[in-house]
Amino acid sequence: MGIFSRIGDVLKANINDMIDRAEDPEKMVKQIILDLQKEVSKATQALGKAMASERIATVSYTHLRAHETDQ
């Protein structure tokens, strides 16, 4: 194991230790909840757009089918 590899390992270990000490579980949970709420909002918007597209496609299909039977 080379000296640079050992130094890298020590640095990584110290950085991980600092991050572990800085993490507040309550704050982390709150942030996760906020992130999930944003994702739910995005998913709800995407669902609304998909449902609108489905309605438009259904109306177009019905309209085209009605014109086919008229001819």
Side-chain angles (χ1 to χ4, degrees), residues 1-12:
M1 184 178 260
I3 185 100
F4 293 113
S5 178
R6 292 177 64 192
I7 291 171
D9 289 343
V10 169
L11 288 174
K12 283 190 257 181

Side-chain angles (χ1 to χ4, degrees), residues 56-67:
I56 291 168
T58 300
V59 168
S60 296
Y61 175 77
T62 303
H63 182 71
L64 288 172
R65 292 293 291 175
H67 281 274

Side-chain angles (χ1 to χ4, degrees), residues 15-46:
I15 290 170
N16 283 331
D17 185 52
M18 286 189 305
I19 291 171
D20 286 343
R21 282 188 270 141
E23 283 182 345
D24 179 358
E26 184 179 348
K27 288 180 184 176
M28 295 297 293
V29 169
K30 286 180 181 178
Q31 184 60 48
I32 290 169
I33 290 170
L34 288 173
D35 292 344
L36 289 173
Q37 287 173 335
K38 288 179 187 175
E39 292 301 316
V40 167
S41 178
K42 288 180 188 177
T44 302
Q45 289 176 358

